[in-house]
Amino acid sequence: METRNHIPFIASHPGGLLKDELEARKINQKDFAVEIGMQKTMLNEIIKEKRPVTAETALLLEKTLGISAEYWMRFQSQYELDSARIKQKNIQKIINIDIWKIIKEYVPVNYFRKLSYLVDELTTDIAKIKEMYNINNVDDLVGLSAKQKFSLFRKSDKLKISEKNVLAWNVVAKYEANKQEVNSFNPEKLPDLVQELQTVFFQNKEAVNQVKNKLNQYGIKFILVPKLEQTPIDGYTFWSGDNPAIALTLRHNRIDNFAFTIMHEIGHIDLHLKTDKEQQFFDLTTKSSHLEYIEKEADEFAKESLIPQAIWSKINDPFDFSDSMILKFSTKNKINPAIILGRINHENKQYAISTSIDKKLY
């Protein structure tokens, strides 16, 4: 069995016990020094904890005070061990402070503290960061920050993006995904999943939990990662263990945005990820894209999944875009009206249309 040594705040020297014994017995230090044949200055140094109790001194104390020499030697030995441990602990504390300074350069520690990953104890917090970032030392962290490149991601030049924060968001997504256990994944069942999600979006009742349950049922992990400043993330699709995973930040509390992002990420799984587990798809915005054709494929998958072309083609120029007609079209086709409105706005590049249709995510 492993034993863990308790490290005291201070080490107790046997000189303190000797002082207490002499005071309790009302023995003058000068007289006691004469009695045991020791120089007064030497005795005083022991009492002031500046000199150790040697084996010879321990025998003298045994004779005069009746406290065994073995006890004095054990006391002295424990003092030396405690002193060494305290010194070692203080050295490690200094090392940890230096390590933490480096960590703060590459990790948004306040974000991790807010998510309760950190407990404000350096040794524990350093170990947690190493665990989450899957590194052995801070040199690995520096290297990871330098090398970390996302396979595919959308990025807008108009937005200020923190690479440190983006990496942290990525780390949290993967860390939480690794903790999840879901059903086995069968890519052939993705069409069934898409159909069931349509119903969830149409009803829009506890949609986030409903989507999570559906994804887990079909073997896809689902993680909501809290917002992080300068990290305008829509979605992230990657492989976690034996399952694909989707991580989202709900930056917009809208059913149409949520539904499109989910379907976009499922598109990545169906079209790209299921045949290449090394890829990862990281969407920072929805305006411009890196490797644009891949993103367009996922966009088209999402559009077709939410409103099939056979249904969308019925909405043409003569179509009445009033709320009443959208609601009627929604009821007939069992498609959430906010998703229809969002598609109309996108197709016509009109985003400021006055409407009473509720877009809120419930």
Side-chain angles (χ1 to χ4, degrees), residues 55-66:
E56 181 181 355
T57 302
L59 289 171
L60 292 173
L61 296 177
E62 179 183 65
K63 277 288 187 183
T64 54
L65 299 177

Side-chain angles (χ1 to χ4, degrees), residues 141-153:
L141 176 61
V142 175
L144 180 63
S145 297
K147 295 177 183 178
Q148 180 68 31
K149 300 293 181 184
F150 300 107
S151 300
L152 298 172
F153 62 93

Side-chain angles (χ1 to χ4, degrees), residues 154-161 230 232 284-285 287-288:
R154 299 178 171 193
K155 180 176 179 181
S156 171
D157 294 332
K158 296 179 181 179
L159 296 174
K160 188 175 182 180
I161 297 173
Q230 296 183 15
L284 289 176
T285 72
K287 294 187 178 180
S288 61

Side-chain angles (χ1 to χ4, degrees), residues 244-305:
I246 294 174
L248 262 62
T249 292
L250 293 179
R251 295 195 301 129
H252 310 289
N253 190 32
R254 287 170 28 200
I255 182 63
D256 57 326
N257 179 269
F258 176 65
F260 189 88
T261 303
I262 288 291
M263 290 302 191
H264 177 94
E265 303 306 328
I266 292 176
H268 276 315
I269 294 173
D270 187 45
L271 301 172
H272 314 121
L273 196 68
K274 69 183 181 184
T275 57
D276 187 352
K277 295 184 179 181
E278 297 303 315
Q279 290 196 78
Q280 47 188 335
F281 301 87
F282 203 80
D283 296 328
L284 289 176
T285 72
T286 55
K287 294 187 178 180
S288 61
S289 63
H290 175 61
L291 296 181
E292 188 174 352
Y293 74 98
I294 294 251
E295 293 301 327
K296 281 187 175 179
E297 286 181 342
D299 281 347
E300 290 301 319
F301 180 94
K303 287 163 65 175
E304 179 65 20
S305 297

Side-chain angles (χ1 to χ4, degrees), residues 22 26 43 67 186 190 206 223 258 314 343 355 362:
L22 294 180
K26 295 182 171 52
L43 175 63
I67 301 174
N186 182 353
L190 283 175
E206 297 186 355
I223 311 98
F258 176 65
K314 297 176 183 178
R343 177 77 173 269
T355 180
Y362 290 99

Side-chain angles (χ1 to χ4, degrees), residues 99-100 102-103 106-107 125-145 148 167 171:
I99 291 174
W100 195 247
I102 297 173
I103 285 176
Y106 295 93
V107 176
D125 288 348
I126 290 170
K128 191 66 178 181
I129 292 297
K130 288 181 179 179
E131 176 193 358
M132 295 187 70
Y133 278 74
N134 194 26
I135 57 173
N136 295 316
N137 51 59
V138 289
D139 290 336
D140 293 339
L141 176 61
V142 175
L144 180 63
S145 297
Q148 180 68 31
L167 176 57
V171 164

Side-chain angles (χ1 to χ4, degrees), residues 28-72:
N28 181 275
Q29 288 186 25
K30 181 178 179 181
D31 294 341
F32 189 70
V34 172
E35 185 178 348
I36 63 175
M38 180 182 288
Q39 291 182 1
K40 179 185 175 183
T41 54
M42 184 179 295
L43 175 63
N44 187 255
E45 286 179 353
I46 293 175
I47 289 174
K48 290 187 175 181
E49 304 181 3
K50 295 180 179 180
R51 181 183 290 269
V53 172
T54 63
E56 181 181 355
T57 302
L59 289 171
L60 292 173
L61 296 177
E62 179 183 65
K63 277 288 187 183
T64 54
L65 299 177
I67 301 174
S68 72
E70 288 80 9
Y71 179 83
W72 289 107

